[in-house]
Amino acid sequence: MLIAMPNRRQLFTVLAFVVTFLMTLALLQHTHSIPAIKEALRPKPKPDPEPPASTHHPKHKQPPKYTPPPIKDNFPLLATSTSPPPIPSWNIPRPNLHKEHNLPVPPPLLIGFTRTWPLLQQSVVSYITAGWPADQIYIIENTGVQMANARGQLTLQNPFFLNHTVLRTLGVNIIQTPTLLNFAQLQNFYLSLSYAHDWPYYFWSHMDVLALSYEDGLDGVTPRYDEPGYKALYELAVTALAEARRSDPRWGLRFFAYDHLALVNPVAYEDVGGWDTLIPYYITDCDMHSRLTMRNWSLKDAKAGIITDVSVALDDLGALYRAEGVVPRFTDPNPPEEGAPSRRTRRNVNNNTPSSQLSAREPGITPRDGTAEHDLGKWRALLHTADGMFHYKVSNKGGRNTWQTGQRGGYWEPYHYDAAGFQEALEIITEAGKEVYRHKWGHRDCDLIEGGGLTFEDQWGVERDW
Ligand SMILES: *[C@@H]1O[C@H](CO)[C@@H](O)[C@H](O)[C@H]1NC(C)=O
Ligand SMILES: *[C@@H]1O[C@H](CO)[C@@H](O)[C@H](O)[C@H]1NC(C)=O
């Protein structure tokens, strides 16, 4: 085999390589390593400057003079059990009740939650014990805390605390919003769920209500709980839904107990373009309901039960299950300081109970178990307490908020947000929304149709009328 002898030019190239290699080697020798070379080439960082010493000192707000006591869990029965107690037998709905009314799907009930767990828990339990099937109840967790509640990372004193375990034990569904939504956005989120789940209708209610069936009967609506033909809250709601669908092709909304519970026709919502999310809270209902009326969708009242607006929760939700020995009562979660002038509500205080407990009249003699007096006695005590809660809320209006300021812990927990700041910010956004409404309709009040003479086409197209 012949090996060609390199010519001079080739020799020169090889020589050049060798020389370059040796020089590189020498350089490496000098600097020890390649990282050292890189280090040597990097521009020298400037030394960290001292943080500028501000001459401005922020003036901190006065801390609240009074801290309310921590809130307590109000469902002791569930803490020691893996299943909820049985509901009053007369409120248990017949299986597939919706089919008796030719309804294609069982009606869902949506309850949105942002803060104040004891109230949500009370609202949910009151609907379940009034007969609404738990598996048709959807809790919409709208806390803005991402997975923190699902992972059990928040504690009871955190305003945004919600206990997934408890809700699962109760058998209700939980849906989480991807971010904190305002009221109008939440309503549109409900509408989006109707598409995702193929719901031709849905009910929604508030997390701060207490629902009771008409267990002592109501003329023209339902006989008493122990009489034939008795209809619990759920059955009356289903009946009203079936009636709306049967008799009114343009049914839009049905309201129960003002708007404490509402039944929605998603087709009507879609027809008017949903809720206006630029009017996020207060007066957005005037905007939406007027637009529905302008487009000839019907908004009517119907009756399903006694649904009370409350700001406090029962000390023990066992009362809603009519648990023996549990007297329905509630505690002021934000009692006045020692020596503070007594408030109107404190006149209700029963001297035999701890001073902060506002209690229902306790029945003098407990009638025999299983008799109508016994059952109705418990129900009336609940109704009386719900009434006391309502008056407590009304008397507290404009004064100190109750839960909103009472539950303010959880400092180092994920997504912590200052409780009072949250409230303050909501009020600012609410005001801004009212201003949007005024610009949109040229009218300041709720009465867009009668008072303003406005039509659907007038949105954003009229001058102010004041
Ligand atoms: C939720 O409630 C259950 C039952 O009362 C309790 O065991 C659990 O600790 C609670 N979870 C959180 C995160 O507080
Ligand atoms: C609503 O009803 C009125 C009166 O019957 C009618 O003039 C109007 O065209 C209707 N509007 C719509 C959007 O159906």
Side-chain angles (χ1 to χ4, degrees), residues 224-226 363 365-368 370-380:
R224 218 169 79 157
Y225 85 101
D226 55 349
I365 312 149
T366 311
R368 223 160 14 87
T371 64
E373 300 93 282
H374 177 88
D375 296 335
L376 279 180
K378 285 184 172 184
W379 181 83
R380 289 196 181 113

Side-chain angles (χ1 to χ4, degrees), residues 250 271 293-296 457:
R250 272 193 98 76
D271 179 64
T293 307
M294 288 165 177
R295 295 275 307 155
N296 292 347
E457 289 70 29

Side-chain angles (χ1 to χ4, degrees), residues 296-346:
N296 292 347
W297 294 100
S298 70
L299 283 64
K300 289 185 186 164
D301 288 322
K303 284 193 162 61
I306 303 163
I307 306 164
T308 311
D309 189 12
V310 299
S311 64
V312 286
L314 291 163
D315 288 350
D316 184 346
L317 295 180
L320 288 166
Y321 293 94
R322 321 301 150 89
E324 282 309 325
V326 179
V327 176
R329 62 159 67 103
F330 63 96
T331 304
D332 181 346
N334 201 2
E337 293 170 75
E338 286 299 312
S342 64
R343 279 176 291 136
R344 216 159 65 80
T345 49
R346 284 172 62 79

Side-chain angles (χ1 to χ4, degrees), residues 67-88:
T67 309
I71 65 158
K72 294 198 196 84
D73 180 56
N74 59 341
F75 205 172
L77 277 176
L78 210 59
T80 53
S81 166
T82 50
S83 59
I87 74 165

